[in-house]
Amino acid sequence: MVVDVFISTAGRSGGKKNPDVMVAIICSTFTFFTTSYLTPLVILFKKCKNFLVILFATYIITRFYFISFTHYGFPYRDDKSGDPRVQRHYITHSIRTLYDKQGDIRYTDSGFWFLEMDRNARKTIESLTMPEEPIPQDENILCKSEVFCGLPLLSARQLLPGGFWVPGPAPVVREIGHLKLVLHEKLTTSRHRMHFMITGNYLMSLNIRPKESVTLESWNLTPRLPPETVFNKQKCYFVMITHGLEHETINITLTLKTADEDFKRSLIDVTLVTTHFEHNKEHTSIFANLLGKLPSWTYAVPSVASLKSWTF
């Protein structure tokens, strides 16, 4: 029972960690405490070496049998046995649009983001995208310049080190969230207040990254600023927005302070991600075909998303 619990938990730890090590440590610890008292008894045997050889041979034969002739040699199972152990995949079909300070589009692309949930997921992802080779998420074209590598993150739980980006056609995304700068006040030579308005979908995430030499002093979302979220050596304030199907406009006020007076450069980067999990009927044919390639022992959580990024 203990192993079953930790194996399932390790399947959500990301592709950079080896869950076998953790499970092996747990098993070794339990084995040590439950069998250590037998060691003095074994030493008293007249043919101690023969006993140990037989014990070791029994272990090898048993291990070979379970790996070769039972399902224990493969870590995943579908639900036919009534005890499913699936390989999880979060797959997001996304379009990314970046705007410059004047509001013009400076970059746009689209593709599929695969969140690597366990260390065996890469082989499955590669089989789905052949002959296209998946690009590690920390090597995609937007990783050096954009917040969180330009990935359509919805929740902080998705901040795992492993993942892949595969370029592809644009998805069908309706009810896209939109952010608008309503007012920019210059309080002093080094302090600014910016008022934003967010409209659109009921499931969004907002990433706020102050520029170099700029500090976010306060906002109207919480009485105190939370600590910045760190991912891939990048820092930003991460906000998850969820509400009912109908919701009024969200107003956000940010107070910023610059290190230098009469700061002439941009102050912040703001990214708004809109995510839909319920639009299965609107999946493109390419996305539907990709999901259809998944083996029976996998479980996919498909979504479509729109990422928009502005500089103010």
Side-chain angles (χ1 to χ4, degrees):
M1 182 181 69
V2 174
V3 175
D4 287 343
V5 171
F6 280 96
I7 287 177
S8 302
T9 304
R12 301 179 178 90
S13 60
K16 300 299 182 181
K17 297 180 181 179
N18 188 346
D20 296 342
V21 174
M22 182 183 68
V23 175
I25 292 174
I26 295 172
C27 293
S28 300
T29 302
F30 274 90
T31 302
F32 174 78
F33 284 108
T34 55
T35 63
S36 59
Y37 68 94
L38 295 175
T39 303
L41 181 63
V42 173
I43 295 176
L44 296 177
F45 287 179
K46 291 183 178 180
K47 298 182 179 180
C48 178
K49 292 183 179 180
N50 293 344
F51 175 78
L52 293 177
V53 170
I54 294 173
L55 188 64
F56 181 74
T58 303
Y59 165 75
I60 295 297
I61 294 172
T62 304
R63 182 179 177 87
F64 175 78
Y65 171 79
F66 275 97
I67 292 177
S68 302
F69 301 103
T70 69
H71 59 77
Y72 292 104
F74 188 70
Y76 309 106
R77 295 200 299 270
D78 55 24
D79 57 357
K80 293 180 181 179
S81 62
D83 184 23
R85 298 180 183 181
V86 295
Q87 185 184 82
R88 298 168 183 84
H89 291 273
Y90 283 81
I91 306 175
T92 302
H93 192 186
S94 175
I95 181 170
R96 306 187 291 187
T97 307
L98 313 181
Y99 299 89
D100 58 21
K101 193 173 182 179
Q102 287 70 38
D104 299 324
I105 296 177
R106 59 183 174 89
Y107 180 83
T108 183
D109 71 355
S110 58
F112 302 94
W113 177 44
F114 296 84
L115 184 60
E116 190 178 14
M117 297 298 291
D118 68 42
R119 66 192 299 257
N120 298 316
R122 176 165 188 164
K123 295 180 181 179
T124 306
I125 294 171
E126 289 176 344
S127 67
L128 296 177
T129 61
M130 291 179 59
E132 191 80 27
E133 184 175 353
I135 303 170
Q137 64 182 24
D138 54 356
E139 296 178 11
N140 87 85
I141 193 171
L142 299 181
C143 199
K144 293 183 179 180
S145 61
E146 301 305 314
V147 177
F148 295 154
C149 291
L151 300 173
L153 293 168
L154 173 65
S155 169
R157 295 179 180 178
Q158 296 178 321
L159 293 172
L160 296 174
F164 299 92
W165 176 263
V166 178
V172 177
V173 188
R174 56 181 174 86
E175 300 180 25
I176 297 177
H178 186 72
L179 180 138
K180 179 181 179 181
L181 177 62
V182 179
L183 179 64
H184 181 179
E185 300 178 274
K186 190 172 183 180
L187 305 178
T188 65
T189 55
S190 61
R191 296 179 72 246
H192 300 256
R193 180 166 293 161
M194 308 180 80
H195 301 267
F196 295 95
M197 179 177 65
I198 297 178
T199 58
N201 185 46
Y202 65 95
L203 194 58
M204 296 180 287
S205 65
L206 181 69
N207 306 321
I208 302 171
R209 180 178 66 177
K211 292 285 192 179
E212 187 177 356
S213 301
V214 179
T215 304
L216 178 60
E217 280 193 335
S218 63
W219 61 13
N220 65 332
L221 298 176
T222 55
R224 294 183 179 180
L225 278 176
E228 292 178 289
T229 302
V230 181
F231 178 72
N232 197 34
K233 299 181 181 180
Q234 298 180 7
K235 295 181 179 180
C236 91
Y237 295 93
F238 186 91
V239 182
M240 185 176 180
I241 303 172
T242 60
H243 51 77
L245 293 177
E246 299 294 337
H247 194 274
E248 60 186 11
T249 300
I250 301 174
N251 296 306
I252 297 178
T253 301
L254 307 177
T255 302
L256 304 161
K257 183 178 181 180
T258 61
D260 304 322
E261 296 185 355
D262 296 324
F263 199 76
K264 302 297 183 181
R265 301 188 300 274
S266 301
L267 297 174
I268 56 171
D269 294 321
V270 182
T271 301
L272 184 66
V273 178
T274 304
T275 304
H276 292 281
F277 288 101
E278 75 285 359
H279 289 180
N280 296 344
K281 295 182 179 179
E282 298 184 7
H283 289 169
T284 63
S285 58
I286 294 179
F287 193 22
N289 291 336
L290 185 147
L291 295 174
K293 295 179 182 178
L294 286 167
S296 61
W297 40 265
T298 60
Y299 181 80
V301 181
S303 61
V304 293
S306 167
L307 181 147
K308 291 187 175 183
S309 179
W310 296 268
T311 298
F312 298 101

